[in-house]
């Protein structure tokens, strides 16, 4: 027997485990933020669309066990695929999902993500926590966190435009 | 704008994010350990069956995107359900999966788990890393880690018996 508990680290088969958490306030109540995750047309606008991005496929089946599939590319870049499956949904309060990303069919990462929405005055405090496994050194935790912050800004713009 | 990066913690909506990693050596090569995860009859024996456990359902579709479903109870306890979906598979080397646990239909946790197999002499060093989100205080990270160590011992017994 040879057992020990070890801190997460990059190991022999090149999986890097990383967790980060980001908070963002929005000036609308939790139900409005939740809707932006739950409604396919709205989610597509802030999550998949954008200048320079070409969306090949976007579908959302927002229920526990349901899938969200997006395939897209940025300018002339390779096709990126995101396969999401919802793990837990508490309306207006919490969304837990797993997503796998692949670039040009090569697996990049698998992540467990938690979105928590808490009323804050007349607005919402959103906490996004991602527990990620980056495969074969294909991505970095820092780049992922930056990407998530950009998405949170896109969500802010979506919420602003629909007030 | 109100952004900050925070360490994972129990927050207002009661999600506890936790990561643990456990190593275990087995006296058989990686292909034998991998087979014990990939073969339905073998996996069922060490993962689902056991004295005091009643298995209501066990199915394994071992491929990326495939599901493993188990429903069971311990003695007169409530029904426990485990829904697993495979995120990444590298034969004889790596298995990444997400699993959701529920007790009596109440969601307990969602976890991203990574199994890494590395040759070590004539045997295998397995590293199991779990990145878990425990929902509404329903479980504890410590109990989960202990449960995983027990499963690793059951796997050791399975590998021993089939040598």
């Amino acid at each position: 027997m040879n057992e020990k508990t070890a801190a997460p680290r990059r190991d022999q088969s090149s999986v890097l485990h990383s967790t980060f958490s980001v908070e963002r306030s929005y000036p609308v109540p939790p139900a409005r933020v939740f809707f932006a995750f739950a409604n396919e047309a709205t989610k597509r606008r802030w999550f998949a669309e954008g200048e320079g991005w070409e969306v090949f496929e976007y579908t959302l089946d927002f229920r526990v066990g349901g899938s969200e599939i997006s395939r897209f590319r940025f300018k002339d870049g390779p096709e990126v695929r995101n396969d999401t499956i919802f793990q837990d949904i508490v309306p207006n309060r919490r969304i837990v999902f797993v997503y796998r990303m692949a670039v040009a069919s090569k697996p990049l990462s698998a992540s467990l993500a938690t979105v928590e929405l808490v009323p804050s005055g007349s607005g919402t405090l959103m906490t996004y926590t991602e527990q990620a496994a980056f495969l074969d050194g294909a991505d970095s935790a820092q780049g992922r966190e930056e990407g998530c912050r950009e998405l949170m800004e896109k969500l802010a713009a979506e919420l602003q435009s629909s007030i």
Side-chain angles (χ1 to χ4, degrees), chain A:
Chain A
M1 195 183 302
N2 175 11
E3 280 189 5
K4 64 175 180 175
T5 300
R9 78 236 179 282
R10 181 184 295 272
D11 57 22
Q12 298 91 331
S13 58
S14 277
V15 179
L16 174 67
H17 296 98
S18 174
T19 298
F20 64 88
S21 187
V22 183
E23 294 185 353
R24 178 73 162 86
S25 289
Y26 296 107
V28 298
R32 285 280 313 285
V33 182
F34 183 82
F35 180 84
F37 280 90
N39 178 267
E40 181 168 344
T42 309
K43 178 91 190 266
R44 178 181 176 130
R45 267 200 305 273
W46 69 265
F47 180 74
E49 303 281 359
E51 196 177 325
W53 295 90
E54 184 177 3
V55 180
F56 303 120
E57 180 180 1
Y58 183 78
T59 59
L60 175 61
D61 179 15
F62 190 73
R63 59 181 174 84
V64 173
S67 295
E68 180 185 34
I69 298 169
S70 41
R71 292 188 302 113
F72 52 89
R73 69 171 175 181
F74 185 68
K75 293 183 176 169
D76 294 330
E79 179 179 309
V80 179
R81 183 178 174 119
N82 177 325
D83 285 278
T84 291
I85 302 168
F86 296 100
Q87 297 289 306
D88 185 61
I89 296 173
V90 180
N92 305 333
R93 192 172 149 226
R94 184 170 74 209
I95 307 164
V96 181
F97 56 96
V98 63
Y99 73 99
R100 182 174 69 244
M101 290 198 74
V103 175
S105 300
K106 181 175 161 52
L108 190 77
S109 63
S111 298
L112 184 68
T114 304
V115 173
E116 295 166 273
L117 306 174
V118 177
S120 175
S122 60
T124 301
L125 174 63
M126 180 171 87
T127 304
Y128 175 87
T129 302
E130 179 162 333
Q131 297 164 285
F134 295 106
L135 307 173
D136 303 318
D139 201 347
S140 75
Q142 188 183 345
R144 181 61 58 90
E145 184 171 340
E146 286 166 8
C148 288
R149 288 179 184 275
E150 287 168 17
L151 279 173
M152 288 182 184
E153 296 313 308
K154 289 184 71 183
L155 172 55
E158 168 65 32
L159 293 169
Q160 185 65 34
S161 71
S162 57
I163 280 176

